[in-house]
Amino acid sequence: MKYCFLLIFLFLSLNSFAQNHTQPHLNLDEAKRIADAAEARAKQDNWNVVIAILDGGGHLILLRKMDGTQIGSVDVAHAKAKSAVYFKRPTKVFEDAVNEGNTRILSLPNAVAVEGGIPIFKDGICVGAIGISGVTSSQDAIIAEAGLKAL
Amino acid sequence: MKYCFLLIFLFLSLNSFAQNHTQPHLNLDEAKRIADAAEARAKQDNWNVVIAILDGGGHLILLRKMDGTQIGSVDVAHAKAKSAVYFKRPTKVFEDAVNEGNTRILSLPNAVAVEGGIPIFKDGICVGAIGISGVTSSQDAIIAEAGLKAL
Amino acid sequence: MKYCFLLIFLFLSLNSFAQNHTQPHLNLDEAKRIADAAEARAKQDNWNVVIAILDGGGHLILLRKMDGTQIGSVDVAHAKAKSAVYFKRPTKVFEDAVNEGNTRILSLPNAVAVEGGIPIFKDGICVGAIGISGVTSSQDAIIAEAGLKAL
Amino acid sequence: MKYCFLLIFLFLSLNSFAQNHTQPHLNLDEAKRIADAAEARAKQDNWNVVIAILDGGGHLILLRKMDGTQIGSVDVAHAKAKSAVYFKRPTKVFEDAVNEGNTRILSLPNAVAVEGGIPIFKDGICVGAIGISGVTSSQDAIIAEAGLKAL
């Protein structure tokens, strides 16, 4: 009986110890999984896009430019992801606000008001974001969401 | 009688000399006092914000990022204060103009059209500005004003 | 005896659990303590400097410009701290390398090769950096180190 | 005889037409193959690096940041690849020049004088570049070369 308790506590403490060394963050394997799913979704409709994935500090972890995508989309995808992680909200929130007449948002540094940038949360902490650019902004958002489902 | 004139001229020239060599400015102690008051006001409502205070040349004197504030607010608070000192008017003036349809302001370099940036005047001279970002823009402005009351 | 083991394991697991929810980071209170100590050290010799403290993602948490410091030091202090957190090493390492003839380092983006930027580690993780600029670079470094002792 | 001339002219014009419409470039699949090989080489020695691959216009096609790499390496890997494609030569060429005393190169915009950036040629045309940063510059170059072997 006492061994049973000991084993339970041992398991809990080891488990906690392991978690202790895992602070919520986004790693490259996860970013690849997200990007693979996003790329597969884009290919399904023959859409060409740039996929940008940032960490919680707003630094690039992964970027892919699908063949034929306009070069402007490299910075746009990056900027959408940056807006999402800097303001901890999807760029759609800013897009909706601007559509409702709240154009003043356009003067905020790093704020992008076009759909396609979505923050990524783990345990309530913003660990990064994905940004998509290349097709229409609602299509960009469909791809971003398909990517995040793979996480 | 001639001594009287001499004294008057002496007084005038000394006065001019003194004014010449004393231009109003904002020092670090004053900036700290402003920031302390702003921070206290923010804490009162559990608001997390970035406080940025610039000098009359638009250069940072003080910046504080309260724990948990979105990282995007660092640049936004800075930009609001910069707009306030560059144009010698609160960012609210630009916000109101944009809300009234004057969207062309959004194309002006360094103009921010979101409340929360207020210039600081001494003897009619713009000696700096405060910028707040982190909560809603009207709450940001409440914090900025609370800060300035401490000056 | 078995209670003894139970208590030890209970302690370990609770301890780990608590740590689990505390990811190493630098908060504003710690940044203020560092800045206060740095400022006190600077005042001791009538040195005027800019103190910049960044988080682990390279974003400003705190900045103070002491009265009379040249405005160029605002960006320099910021850049030194950024170099320290971006490359996880003191700017002195790059300074020494350049002094030994390794001038090619000067072409690396964000690398500053002048003493006065020091990274801050907690549990082996780089949680931020301090950057000082205003006096000679070795004096800047003395101030930075005095600041870090307060952590 | 005149048919012979006609055929020759026809062949020449078709040939020119074909060349006209086929310019060598680097596609995403090739970039992934290069990055996979580079990443595998890095893992072999437990090296953590950022891999950046640009197209012939100097725009990002692919970027990967391996877990644990210093954030400064994101910009450095990008800058090395940019230097390689902008000047159509490995960054090692600039490094060697600087090491031989040619420090004036450090004043050239976009020139990086640290090994680890290599241009990619197809049929004598520069179609892009790879840039690696994270370990020592000679190790970065080993990884870059391992990547290019996969092309």
Coordinates of all heavy atoms in Angstrom, one line a residue, chain C residues 16-104:
Chain C
S16 N 7.7 21.4 -7.6 CA 7.8 21.3 -9.0 C 6.6 22.0 -9.7 O 6.7 22.7 -10.7 CB 8.0 19.9 -9.5 OG 9.1 19.3 -9.0
F17 N 5.5 21.7 -9.1 CA 4.2 22.2 -9.6 C 4.3 23.8 -9.6 O 3.9 24.4 -10.6 CB 3.0 21.8 -8.7 CG 1.7 22.2 -9.3 CD1 1.2 21.5 -10.4 CD2 1.0 23.2 -8.8 CE1 0.0 21.8 -10.9 CE2 -0.2 23.6 -9.3 CZ -0.7 22.9 -10.4
A18 N 4.7 24.3 -8.5 CA 4.8 25.7 -8.3 C 5.8 26.3 -9.4 O 5.5 27.3 -10.1 CB 5.3 26.1 -7.0
Q19 N 6.9 25.7 -9.6 CA 7.9 26.1 -10.6 C 7.3 26.0 -11.9 O 7.5 26.9 -12.8 CB 9.2 25.3 -10.5 CG 10.0 25.5 -9.3 CD 11.3 24.7 -9.3 OE1 11.3 23.6 -9.8 NE2 12.3 25.2 -8.7
N20 N 6.5 25.0 -12.1 CA 5.8 24.8 -13.4 C 5.1 26.0 -13.9 O 5.1 26.3 -15.1 CB 4.9 23.6 -13.3 CG 4.3 23.2 -14.6 OD1 4.9 23.4 -15.6 ND2 3.1 22.5 -14.5
H21 N 4.5 26.7 -13.0 CA 3.7 27.9 -13.4 C 4.5 29.2 -13.3 O 4.0 30.2 -13.4 CB 2.5 28.0 -12.5 CG 1.5 26.9 -12.8 ND1 0.3 27.2 -13.5 CD2 1.5 25.6 -12.6 CE1 -0.4 26.1 -13.7 NE2 0.3 25.1 -13.2
T22 N 5.8 29.0 -13.1 CA 6.6 30.2 -13.1 C 7.7 30.1 -14.1 O 8.7 29.4 -13.9 CB 7.4 30.4 -11.7 OG1 6.4 30.1 -10.7 CG2 7.9 31.8 -11.5
Q23 N 7.5 30.7 -15.3 CA 8.5 30.6 -16.3 C 9.5 31.7 -16.1 O 9.1 32.8 -15.7 CB 7.9 30.6 -17.7 CG 7.1 31.8 -18.0 CD 6.6 31.9 -19.4 OE1 7.1 31.1 -20.2 NE2 5.7 32.8 -19.7
P24 N 10.8 31.4 -16.2 CA 11.8 32.4 -15.9 C 11.6 33.6 -16.8 O 11.5 33.5 -18.0 CB 13.1 31.7 -16.2 CG 12.8 30.5 -17.0 CD 11.4 30.1 -16.6
H25 N 11.4 34.8 -16.2 CA 11.3 36.0 -17.0 C 11.7 37.2 -16.1 O 11.9 37.0 -14.9 CB 9.9 36.2 -17.6 CG 8.9 36.6 -16.5 ND1 8.4 35.7 -15.6 CD2 8.3 37.7 -16.2 CE1 7.5 36.3 -14.8 NE2 7.4 37.5 -15.2
L26 N 11.8 38.3 -16.7 CA 12.2 39.5 -15.9 C 11.0 40.4 -15.8 O 10.3 40.7 -16.8 CB 13.3 40.2 -16.8 CG 14.1 41.3 -16.1 CD1 15.0 40.7 -15.0 CD2 15.0 42.0 -17.1
N27 N 10.6 40.8 -14.6 CA 9.5 41.7 -14.4 C 9.9 43.1 -14.2 O 11.1 43.4 -14.0 CB 8.5 41.1 -13.4 CG 9.1 41.2 -12.0 OD1 9.8 42.1 -11.6 ND2 8.8 40.1 -11.2
L28 N 8.9 44.0 -14.2 CA 9.2 45.5 -14.1 C 9.8 45.8 -12.8 O 10.7 46.7 -12.7 CB 7.9 46.3 -14.3 CG 8.0 47.8 -14.2 CD1 9.0 48.3 -15.2 CD2 6.7 48.5 -14.5
D29 N 9.4 45.2 -11.7 CA 10.0 45.5 -10.4 C 11.4 45.2 -10.3 O 12.2 45.9 -9.8 CB 9.2 44.7 -9.3 CG 8.0 45.4 -8.8 OD1 7.9 46.6 -9.0 OD2 7.1 44.7 -8.2
E30 N 11.8 44.0 -10.9 CA 13.2 43.7 -11.0 C 14.0 44.7 -11.9 O 15.1 45.1 -11.6 CB 13.4 42.2 -11.6 CG 12.9 41.2 -10.6 CD 12.7 39.8 -11.3 OE1 12.3 39.7 -12.5 OE2 13.1 38.8 -10.6
A31 N 13.4 45.0 -13.0 CA 14.0 46.0 -13.9 C 14.2 47.3 -13.2 O 15.3 48.0 -13.3 CB 13.2 46.2 -15.1
K32 N 13.2 47.8 -12.4 CA 13.4 49.0 -11.6 C 14.5 48.9 -10.6 O 15.3 49.9 -10.4 CB 12.1 49.3 -10.9 CG 11.0 50.0 -11.7 CD 9.8 50.2 -10.9 CE 8.6 50.8 -11.7 NZ 7.4 50.9 -10.9
R33 N 14.6 47.7 -9.9 CA 15.7 47.5 -8.9 C 17.1 47.6 -9.6 O 18.0 48.3 -9.1 CB 15.5 46.2 -8.3 CG 15.5 46.3 -6.7 CD 15.5 44.9 -6.1 NE 14.4 44.1 -6.5 CZ 14.5 42.8 -6.7 NH1 15.6 42.2 -6.5 NH2 13.4 42.1 -7.1
I34 N 17.2 47.0 -10.8 CA 18.4 47.0 -11.6 C 18.7 48.5 -11.9 O 19.9 49.0 -11.8 CB 18.3 46.1 -12.8 CG1 18.2 44.7 -12.4 CG2 19.5 46.3 -13.7 CD1 17.8 43.7 -13.6
A35 N 17.7 49.2 -12.4 CA 17.9 50.6 -12.9 C 18.3 51.5 -11.8 O 19.2 52.4 -11.9 CB 16.7 51.0 -13.6
D36 N 17.6 51.3 -10.6 CA 18.0 52.1 -9.4 C 19.4 52.0 -9.0 O 20.1 52.9 -8.8 CB 17.0 51.8 -8.2 CG 15.6 52.3 -8.4 OD1 15.4 53.2 -9.3 OD2 14.7 51.8 -7.7
A37 N 19.9 50.7 -9.0 CA 21.3 50.4 -8.6 C 22.2 51.0 -9.7 O 23.3 51.6 -9.3 CB 21.5 48.9 -8.4
A38 N 21.9 50.9 -10.9 CA 22.7 51.4 -12.0 C 22.8 52.9 -11.9 O 23.9 53.5 -12.0 CB 22.2 51.0 -13.4
E39 N 21.6 53.6 -11.7 CA 21.6 55.0 -11.6 C 22.4 55.5 -10.4 O 23.1 56.5 -10.5 CB 20.1 55.4 -11.5 CG 19.9 56.9 -11.9 CD 18.4 57.3 -11.7 OE1 17.5 56.4 -12.0 OE2 18.1 58.4 -11.4
A40 N 22.3 54.8 -9.3 CA 23.0 55.2 -8.1 C 24.5 55.1 -8.3 O 25.3 56.0 -7.9 CB 22.6 54.3 -6.9
R41 N 24.9 54.1 -9.0 CA 26.3 53.9 -9.3 C 26.8 55.0 -10.2 O 27.9 55.6 -10.0 CB 26.6 52.6 -10.0 CG 28.0 52.3 -10.3 CD 28.9 52.2 -9.1 NE 30.4 52.3 -9.4 CZ 31.0 53.4 -9.6 NH1 30.4 54.5 -9.6 NH2 32.3 53.3 -9.9
A42 N 26.0 55.4 -11.2 CA 26.4 56.5 -12.1 C 26.5 57.8 -11.4 O 27.5 58.5 -11.5 CB 25.4 56.6 -13.2
K43 N 25.5 58.1 -10.5 CA 25.5 59.4 -9.7 C 26.8 59.5 -8.8 O 27.3 60.6 -8.6 CB 24.3 59.5 -8.9 CG 23.1 60.0 -9.7 CD 21.8 60.1 -8.8 CE 20.7 60.7 -9.6 NZ 19.4 60.4 -8.9
Q44 N 27.2 58.3 -8.3 CA 28.4 58.3 -7.4 C 29.6 59.0 -8.1 O 30.4 59.7 -7.4 CB 28.7 56.8 -7.2 CG 29.6 56.5 -6.0 CD 29.8 55.0 -5.9 OE1 28.8 54.2 -5.8 NE2 31.0 54.6 -6.0
D45 N 29.7 58.9 -9.4 CA 30.8 59.6 -10.1 C 30.4 60.7 -11.0 O 31.1 61.1 -11.9 CB 31.6 58.5 -10.9 CG 32.5 57.7 -10.1 OD1 33.5 58.3 -9.5 OD2 32.3 56.5 -10.0
N46 N 29.1 61.2 -10.7 CA 28.6 62.2 -11.6 C 28.6 61.9 -13.1 O 28.9 62.7 -13.9 CB 29.3 63.6 -11.4 CG 29.0 64.1 -10.0 OD1 27.9 64.2 -9.6 ND2 30.1 64.6 -9.3
W47 N 28.3 60.6 -13.4 CA 28.2 60.2 -14.7 C 26.8 60.3 -15.2 O 25.9 59.9 -14.5 CB 28.7 58.7 -14.9 CG 30.1 58.5 -14.7 CD1 31.1 59.4 -14.8 CD2 30.8 57.2 -14.2 NE1 32.4 58.8 -14.5 CE2 32.2 57.5 -14.2 CE3 30.3 56.0 -13.9 CZ2 33.1 56.5 -13.8 CZ3 31.2 55.0 -13.6 CH2 32.6 55.2 -13.5
N48 N 26.6 60.7 -16.4 CA 25.2 60.8 -17.0 C 25.1 59.7 -18.1 O 25.9 59.7 -19.0 CB 25.0 62.2 -17.6 CG 25.1 63.3 -16.6 OD1 24.7 63.1 -15.5 ND2 25.6 64.4 -17.0
V49 N 24.1 58.9 -17.9 CA 23.9 57.8 -18.9 C 22.5 57.5 -19.2 O 21.6 57.9 -18.4 CB 24.6 56.4 -18.4 CG1 26.1 56.6 -18.2 CG2 23.9 56.0 -17.1
V50 N 22.3 56.7 -20.2 CA 21.0 56.1 -20.5 C 21.0 54.7 -20.1 O 22.0 54.0 -20.3 CB 20.6 56.2 -22.0 CG1 19.3 55.4 -22.3 CG2 20.4 57.6 -22.4
I51 N 20.0 54.2 -19.4 CA 19.9 52.8 -18.9 C 18.7 52.2 -19.7 O 17.6 52.7 -19.6 CB 19.5 52.8 -17.4 CG1 20.6 53.5 -16.6 CG2 19.3 51.4 -16.9 CD1 20.1 53.9 -15.2
A52 N 19.0 51.1 -20.4 CA 17.9 50.4 -21.1 C 17.9 48.9 -20.7 O 18.9 48.3 -20.6 CB 18.2 50.5 -22.7
I53 N 16.7 48.5 -20.4 CA 16.5 47.1 -20.0 C 15.5 46.4 -20.9 O 14.4 46.9 -21.0 CB 16.1 47.0 -18.5 CG1 17.2 47.6 -17.6 CG2 15.9 45.5 -18.1 CD1 17.0 47.7 -16.1
L54 N 15.9 45.3 -21.5 CA 15.0 44.6 -22.4 C 14.5 43.2 -21.8 O 15.2 42.7 -21.0 CB 15.7 44.3 -23.7 CG 16.4 45.5 -24.4 CD1 16.9 45.0 -25.8 CD2 15.5 46.6 -24.6
D55 N 13.4 42.7 -22.4 CA 13.0 41.3 -22.0 C 13.7 40.3 -22.9 O 14.5 40.6 -23.8 CB 11.5 41.2 -22.0 CG 10.9 41.3 -23.5 OD1 11.6 41.1 -24.4 OD2 9.7 41.5 -23.6
G56 N 13.4 39.0 -22.7 CA 14.0 37.9 -23.5 C 13.7 37.9 -25.0 O 14.4 37.3 -25.7
G57 N 12.7 38.7 -25.4 CA 12.4 38.8 -26.8 C 13.0 40.0 -27.4 O 12.8 40.3 -28.6
G58 N 13.7 40.8 -26.6 CA 14.4 42.0 -27.1 C 13.5 43.2 -27.1 O 13.8 44.2 -27.8
H59 N 12.5 43.2 -26.3 CA 11.6 44.4 -26.2 C 11.8 45.2 -25.0 O 12.1 44.6 -23.9 CB 10.1 43.9 -26.3 CG 9.8 43.1 -27.5 ND1 9.6 43.7 -28.7 CD2 9.7 41.7 -27.7 CE1 9.3 42.7 -29.6 NE2 9.4 41.5 -29.0
L60 N 11.7 46.5 -25.1 CA 12.0 47.4 -23.9 C 11.0 47.1 -22.8 O 9.8 47.1 -22.9 CB 11.8 48.9 -24.3 CG 13.1 49.6 -24.9 CD1 12.6 51.0 -25.4 CD2 14.1 49.7 -23.8
I61 N 11.6 47.0 -21.6 CA 10.8 46.9 -20.3 C 11.0 48.3 -19.6 O 10.0 48.8 -19.0 CB 11.3 45.8 -19.4 CG1 11.2 44.5 -20.0 CG2 10.5 45.9 -18.1 CD1 11.8 43.4 -19.1
L62 N 12.2 48.8 -19.7 CA 12.5 50.1 -18.9 C 13.6 50.9 -19.6 O 14.5 50.3 -20.1 CB 12.9 49.7 -17.5 CG 13.2 50.9 -16.5 CD1 12.9 50.4 -15.1 CD2 14.6 51.3 -16.6
L63 N 13.4 52.2 -19.7 CA 14.5 53.1 -20.1 C 14.5 54.3 -19.3 O 13.4 54.8 -19.0 CB 14.3 53.4 -21.6 CG 15.4 54.2 -22.3 CD1 15.8 53.7 -23.6 CD2 15.1 55.7 -22.3
R64 N 15.7 54.8 -19.0 CA 15.8 56.0 -18.3 C 17.0 56.8 -18.9 O 18.1 56.2 -19.0 CB 16.2 55.8 -16.8 CG 15.0 55.4 -16.0 CD 15.4 55.3 -14.5 NE 14.5 54.5 -13.7 CZ 14.7 54.0 -12.5 NH1 15.8 54.3 -11.9 NH2 13.8 53.2 -11.9
K65 N 16.8 58.1 -19.1 CA 17.8 58.9 -19.6 C 18.1 60.0 -18.6 O 17.3 60.8 -18.3 CB 17.4 59.6 -20.9 CG 18.4 60.6 -21.5 CD 17.9 61.2 -22.8 CE 18.8 62.2 -23.4 NZ 18.9 63.5 -22.6
M66 N 19.3 59.8 -18.0 CA 19.7 60.8 -16.9 C 19.9 62.2 -17.6 O 20.4 62.3 -18.7 CB 20.9 60.3 -16.2 CG 20.6 59.1 -15.3 SD 22.1 58.3 -14.6 CE 22.5 59.5 -13.4
D67 N 19.6 63.2 -16.8 CA 19.7 64.6 -17.3 C 21.1 64.9 -17.9 O 22.1 64.6 -17.2 CB 19.4 65.6 -16.2 CG 18.0 65.4 -15.7 OD1 17.1 64.8 -16.4 OD2 17.7 65.8 -14.5
G68 N 21.1 65.5 -19.0 CA 22.4 65.9 -19.6 C 23.1 64.9 -20.5 O 24.1 65.2 -21.1
T69 N 22.5 63.7 -20.5 CA 23.2 62.7 -21.4 C 22.9 63.0 -22.8 O 21.8 63.4 -23.2 CB 22.5 61.3 -21.1 OG1 22.5 61.1 -19.7 CG2 23.3 60.2 -21.8
Q70 N 23.9 62.8 -23.7 CA 23.8 63.1 -25.1 C 22.6 62.2 -25.7 O 22.4 61.1 -25.3 CB 25.1 62.7 -25.8 CG 25.5 61.3 -25.5 CD 26.9 60.9 -26.0 OE1 27.6 61.7 -26.6 NE2 27.3 59.7 -25.8
I71 N 21.9 62.8 -26.6 CA 20.7 62.1 -27.1 C 21.1 60.8 -27.9 O 20.4 59.8 -27.9 CB 19.8 62.9 -28.0 CG1 20.5 63.7 -29.1 CG2 19.0 63.9 -27.1 CD1 19.6 64.5 -30.0
G72 N 22.3 60.8 -28.5 CA 22.7 59.6 -29.2 C 22.8 58.3 -28.3 O 22.7 57.2 -28.8
S73 N 22.9 58.5 -27.0 CA 23.0 57.4 -26.1 C 21.7 56.7 -25.9 O 21.7 55.5 -25.4 CB 23.5 57.9 -24.7 OG 24.9 58.2 -24.8
V74 N 20.6 57.3 -26.2 CA 19.3 56.5 -26.1 C 19.3 55.3 -27.0 O 19.1 54.2 -26.6 CB 18.1 57.5 -26.5 CG1 16.8 56.7 -26.4 CG2 18.0 58.6 -25.5
D75 N 19.6 55.5 -28.3 CA 19.7 54.4 -29.2 C 20.9 53.5 -28.9 O 20.8 52.3 -29.1 CB 19.8 54.9 -30.7 CG 18.5 55.5 -31.2 OD1 17.5 55.2 -30.6 OD2 18.5 56.2 -32.2
V76 N 22.0 54.0 -28.5 CA 23.2 53.2 -28.2 C 22.9 52.3 -27.1 O 23.2 51.1 -27.1 CB 24.4 54.1 -28.0 CG1 25.6 53.2 -27.5 CG2 24.8 54.8 -29.2
A77 N 22.3 52.8 -26.0 CA 22.0 51.9 -24.8 C 21.1 50.8 -25.2 O 21.3 49.6 -24.9 CB 21.5 52.7 -23.7
H78 N 20.1 51.2 -26.0 CA 19.1 50.2 -26.5 C 19.8 49.2 -27.4 O 19.5 48.0 -27.2 CB 18.0 51.0 -27.3 CG 16.8 50.2 -27.7 ND1 15.6 50.8 -28.1 CD2 16.5 48.9 -27.6 CE1 14.7 49.8 -28.3 NE2 15.3 48.7 -28.0
A79 N 20.6 49.6 -28.3 CA 21.3 48.7 -29.2 C 22.2 47.8 -28.5 O 22.4 46.6 -28.8 CB 22.1 49.5 -30.3
K80 N 22.9 48.3 -27.4 CA 23.8 47.4 -26.7 C 23.0 46.3 -26.0 O 23.4 45.1 -26.0 CB 24.6 48.2 -25.6 CG 25.7 49.0 -26.1 CD 26.4 49.8 -25.0 CE 27.6 50.6 -25.4 NZ 28.2 51.4 -24.3
A81 N 21.9 46.7 -25.4 CA 21.1 45.7 -24.7 C 20.5 44.7 -25.7 O 20.5 43.5 -25.5 CB 19.9 46.3 -23.9
K82 N 20.1 45.2 -26.9 CA 19.6 44.3 -27.9 C 20.6 43.3 -28.4 O 20.3 42.1 -28.6 CB 19.1 45.2 -29.1 CG 18.2 44.4 -30.1 CD 17.6 45.4 -31.1 CE 16.8 44.7 -32.2 NZ 16.2 45.6 -33.2
S83 N 21.8 43.8 -28.6 CA 22.9 42.9 -29.0 C 23.1 41.8 -28.0 O 23.3 40.6 -28.3 CB 24.2 43.7 -29.2 OG 25.3 42.8 -29.5
A84 N 23.1 42.2 -26.7 CA 23.3 41.2 -25.6 C 22.3 40.1 -25.5 O 22.6 39.0 -25.3 CB 23.4 42.0 -24.3
V85 N 21.0 40.5 -25.8 CA 19.9 39.5 -25.7 C 19.8 38.7 -27.0 O 19.5 37.5 -27.0 CB 18.6 40.2 -25.3 CG1 17.9 40.9 -26.4 CG2 17.6 39.1 -24.7
Y86 N 20.1 39.4 -28.1 CA 20.0 38.7 -29.4 C 21.1 37.6 -29.6 O 20.9 36.6 -30.2 CB 20.1 39.7 -30.6 CG 18.8 40.2 -31.1 CD1 17.8 40.7 -30.2 CD2 18.5 40.3 -32.4 CE1 16.6 41.2 -30.6 CE2 17.3 40.8 -32.9 CZ 16.3 41.2 -31.9 OH 15.1 41.7 -32.4
F87 N 22.3 37.9 -29.0 CA 23.4 37.0 -29.2 C 23.8 36.3 -27.9 O 24.8 35.6 -27.8 CB 24.6 37.7 -29.8 CG 24.4 38.2 -31.2 CD1 24.0 39.5 -31.4 CD2 24.4 37.3 -32.3 CE1 23.8 40.0 -32.7 CE2 24.2 37.8 -33.5 CZ 23.8 39.1 -33.8
K88 N 23.0 36.5 -26.8 CA 23.2 35.9 -25.5 C 24.6 36.0 -25.0 O 25.2 35.0 -24.4 CB 22.8 34.4 -25.6 CG 21.3 34.1 -25.9 CD 21.0 32.6 -25.9 CE 19.6 32.3 -26.2 NZ 19.3 30.9 -26.4
R89 N 25.2 37.2 -25.2 CA 26.6 37.4 -24.7 C 26.8 38.9 -24.5 O 26.2 39.7 -25.2 CB 27.6 36.8 -25.7 CG 27.8 37.5 -26.9 CD 28.5 36.7 -28.0 NE 27.6 35.7 -28.6 CZ 27.9 34.9 -29.6 NH1 29.1 34.8 -30.0 NH2 27.0 34.0 -30.1
P90 N 27.7 39.2 -23.6 CA 28.0 40.6 -23.4 C 28.6 41.3 -24.6 O 29.3 40.6 -25.4 CB 29.1 40.6 -22.3 CG 29.0 39.3 -21.6 CD 28.5 38.4 -22.7
T91 N 28.3 42.5 -24.9 CA 28.9 43.2 -26.0 C 30.4 43.3 -25.9 O 31.1 43.4 -26.9 CB 28.4 44.7 -26.2 OG1 28.5 45.3 -24.9 CG2 26.9 44.6 -26.5
K92 N 31.0 43.1 -24.7 CA 32.4 43.1 -24.5 C 33.1 41.9 -25.3 O 34.2 42.1 -25.7 CB 32.7 42.9 -23.0 CG 34.1 42.7 -22.6 CD 34.7 44.1 -22.0 CE 36.1 43.9 -21.4 NZ 37.1 43.5 -22.4
V93 N 32.3 40.8 -25.4 CA 32.9 39.7 -26.2 C 33.1 40.1 -27.7 O 34.2 39.8 -28.2 CB 31.9 38.5 -26.2 CG1 32.4 37.4 -27.1 CG2 31.7 38.0 -24.8
F94 N 32.2 40.9 -28.2 CA 32.4 41.4 -29.6 C 33.5 42.5 -29.6 O 34.3 42.5 -30.6 CB 31.1 41.9 -30.2 CG 30.1 40.9 -30.5 CD1 28.7 41.1 -30.3 CD2 30.4 39.7 -31.1 CE1 27.7 40.2 -30.6 CE2 29.5 38.7 -31.4 CZ 28.1 39.0 -31.2
E95 N 33.5 43.3 -28.6 CA 34.5 44.4 -28.5 C 35.9 43.7 -28.5 O 36.8 44.1 -29.3 CB 34.3 45.2 -27.3 CG 35.5 46.2 -27.1 CD 35.2 47.3 -26.0 OE1 34.0 47.6 -25.8 OE2 36.2 47.8 -25.4
D96 N 36.1 42.7 -27.7 CA 37.4 42.1 -27.6 C 37.8 41.4 -28.9 O 38.9 41.5 -29.4 CB 37.4 41.0 -26.5 CG 37.3 41.6 -25.1 OD1 37.6 42.8 -25.0 OD2 37.0 40.9 -24.1
A97 N 36.8 40.8 -29.6 CA 37.1 40.1 -30.9 C 37.5 41.2 -31.9 O 38.5 40.9 -32.6 CB 35.8 39.4 -31.3
V98 N 36.8 42.3 -31.9 CA 37.2 43.3 -32.9 C 38.6 43.9 -32.6 O 39.4 44.1 -33.5 CB 36.1 44.5 -32.9 CG1 36.7 45.7 -33.7 CG2 34.8 43.9 -33.5
N99 N 38.9 44.1 -31.3 CA 40.2 44.6 -30.9 C 41.3 43.6 -31.3 O 42.4 44.0 -31.5 CB 40.2 44.8 -29.3 CG 39.5 46.1 -29.0 OD1 39.2 46.9 -29.8 ND2 39.1 46.2 -27.7
E100 N 41.0 42.3 -31.3 CA 42.0 41.3 -31.7 C 42.0 41.2 -33.2 O 42.7 40.3 -33.8 CB 41.6 40.0 -31.1 CG 41.9 39.9 -29.6 CD 41.1 38.8 -28.9 OE1 40.6 37.9 -29.6 OE2 41.0 38.8 -27.6
G101 N 41.3 42.1 -34.0 CA 41.4 42.1 -35.4 C 40.3 41.5 -36.1 O 40.2 41.4 -37.4
N102 N 39.3 41.0 -35.3 CA 38.1 40.3 -35.9 C 37.1 41.3 -36.3 O 35.9 41.3 -35.9 CB 37.5 39.4 -34.9 CG 37.1 38.1 -35.5 OD1 36.8 38.1 -36.7 ND2 37.0 37.1 -34.7
T103 N 37.5 42.3 -37.2 CA 36.6 43.4 -37.6 C 35.4 43.0 -38.4 O 34.4 43.7 -38.5 CB 37.4 44.4 -38.4 OG1 38.1 43.8 -39.4 CG2 38.3 45.2 -37.5
R104 N 35.4 41.7 -38.9 CA 34.3 41.3 -39.8 C 33.0 41.3 -39.0 O 31.9 41.4 -39.6 CB 34.6 39.9 -40.3 CG 34.8 38.9 -39.3 CD 35.6 37.7 -39.7 NE 35.7 36.7 -38.6 CZ 35.0 35.6 -38.5 NH1 34.2 35.2 -39.4 NH2 35.1 34.8 -37.4

